[in-house]
Amino acid sequence: MDNLLALAKGTELVGDYRIERTLGAGGFGITYLAKELSLGRDVAIKEFFPNEFAARDGASLVRCISTSHAEEFETGLERFIDEARTLARFDHPNIVRVYRYFRANNTAYMVLQLERGRSFMAWLNALGRPPSQDELDAILAPLLDALELIHAHEFLHRDIAPDNIIIRSDGSPVLIDFGSARGEIARRSRTVSAIVKPGYSAFEQYGAKGANQGPWSDIYSLAATLYHAVTGRRPADAPSRITNDELKPARLLAGKAYRPAFLAAIDWGLAIRAEERPQSIAVWRQALFASHSAKDGAEDGAKTHVPHNEASRKPAQETGNETSDEAAAGATASAKAAAMADAVAPAVASSDVSFPVSCAGLREASLCG
């Protein structure tokens, strides 16, 4: 991939890495394939480069193009380093591994394990059919474990979407491209479009101040990703759903190929209001993996897609601690999800759903942005 602002092939960084080529670029960073010289291994290196107010000075140096953006640049740079420091603490097979981070060229760099595989979107396209329940379960379970670990450390992904999940050749998933640094820049500059992904970002992420975000925000994004997988279509943008929510529930579109409770849990995760979603991964996991037999213990007469035990509670302000209310909700989440599934009309025919079949090709840890 050619990028006029990218470091040239052969550029060395801190004497330890040599740039081989550009993997991708986004609004807030450029990602390279590089060689770690001492070990002879390939790595991915992400460079902090907010292209809205950064420029290349000479071959390597990065500078802020305007003093009016200097604060945003420095704040974003510090957040980028903080994000790298946090991610480096995680040793989980389904979270992209950070080997090292360092400052150089008036910016910062993150050295990551090179993940070879397809994005989740490319994986879906290559299937040429709806993924099976077993296929989704095999991908979803480790992703939930990874998110639970992230949230336990009071950290959020903030940018879960089909292009930010890599499916390795062995079928295992890995979360890439965390959105904390660009989120901080956007809050400083009030450039909301920089931190949202239409269809996948929760409504609270559209606020310039970034208030009221928590595990429920990542849950919305992963629910939207699952919705796309089972229906073949991206959900409507969150702001458009506030005044006129015409989103058709997954349980009506996806047919009988999936557990009713699984589809109901996807719809629960897509509740437009933060307080009406599952408040923790633990609670949502129980609903997603509930068997259909859980309906026997459900409350009769469930009428909406939102379990009322969650809807009446404000989101917790801290992301790392599960409240006693959440624990109680977890005990009934499976039954509630099954009840929601039974409270709706029969599924529509699968012929109403179209799945793209073009293959988007391989993605090598292209943490673009």
Side-chain angles (χ1 to χ4, degrees), residues 34-48:
K35 181 74 71 176
E36 186 171 4
L37 300 176
S38 60
L39 298 178
R41 67 177 174 182
D42 290 337
V43 296
I45 295 183
K46 185 174 181 179
E47 178 184 42
F48 178 71

Side-chain angles (χ1 to χ4, degrees), residues 109-359:
Y109 298 86
M110 204 185 297
V111 183
L112 307 116
Q113 180 174 328
L114 182 67
E115 295 288 355
R116 299 185 185 275
R118 287 177 171 161
S119 71
F120 184 69
M121 180 64 81
W123 179 80
L124 286 174
N125 290 344
L127 282 178
R129 57 168 174 79
S132 69
Q133 182 73 75
D134 287 344
E135 286 170 331
L136 287 180
D137 284 350
I139 291 171
L140 180 58
L143 288 179
L144 293 174
D145 291 344
L147 280 174
E148 192 166 38
L149 176 63
I150 291 165
H151 294 166
H153 286 78
E154 300 187 1
F155 198 67
L156 299 173
H157 187 287
R158 288 192 171 93
D159 196 22
I160 298 171
D163 58 343
N164 285 337
I165 299 170
I166 293 293
I167 306 299
R168 302 182 179 108
S169 57
D170 65 0
S172 63
V174 58
L175 282 171
I176 65 168
D177 204 7
F178 287 64
S180 297
R182 59 181 172 273
E184 185 64 33
I185 291 175
R187 282 190 288 276
R188 294 274 181 170
S189 63
R190 299 186 180 274
T191 309
V192 175
S193 61
I195 57 171
V196 297
K197 191 158 287 183
Y200 303 102
S201 296
F203 180 70
E204 60 269 19
Q205 291 181 268
Y206 283 78
K209 293 182 179 180
N212 204 36
Q213 294 185 40
W216 46 89
S217 307
D218 281 346
I219 285 172
Y220 184 97
S221 298
L222 185 52
T225 299
L226 292 173
Y227 183 95
H228 191 153
V230 301
T231 69
R233 60 186 69 175
R234 190 189 75 182
D237 299 352
S240 70
R241 297 179 57 205
I242 287 290
T243 55
N244 185 24
D245 190 0
E246 296 183 345
L247 183 69
K248 292 184 178 180
R251 62 185 181 268
L252 294 182
L253 291 177
K256 298 180 179 179
Y258 306 99
R259 292 186 302 272
F262 173 76
L263 297 177
I266 292 175
D267 294 332
W268 183 15
L270 280 171
I272 193 64
R273 299 186 183 280
E275 65 270 18
E276 294 178 353
R277 289 178 226 136
Q279 300 293 288
S280 72
I281 293 294
V283 170
W284 195 41
R285 181 192 288 112
Q286 290 189 353
L288 285 163
F289 287 96
S291 66
H292 188 56
S293 62
K295 68 180 180 182
D296 297 334
E299 293 184 5
D300 294 331
K303 300 299 182 184
T304 70
H305 70 282
V306 179
H308 56 75
N309 63 300
E310 290 288 336
S312 61
R313 189 171 69 252
K314 294 287 186 181
Q317 294 303 307
E318 296 297 329
T319 65
N321 302 312
E322 182 175 312
T323 67
S324 59
D325 285 344
E326 286 172 334
T332 59
S334 299
K336 296 279 189 184
M340 290 186 287
D342 282 349
V344 299
V348 297
S350 59
S351 59
D352 291 341
V353 180
S354 61
F355 282 79
V357 295
S358 61
C359 179

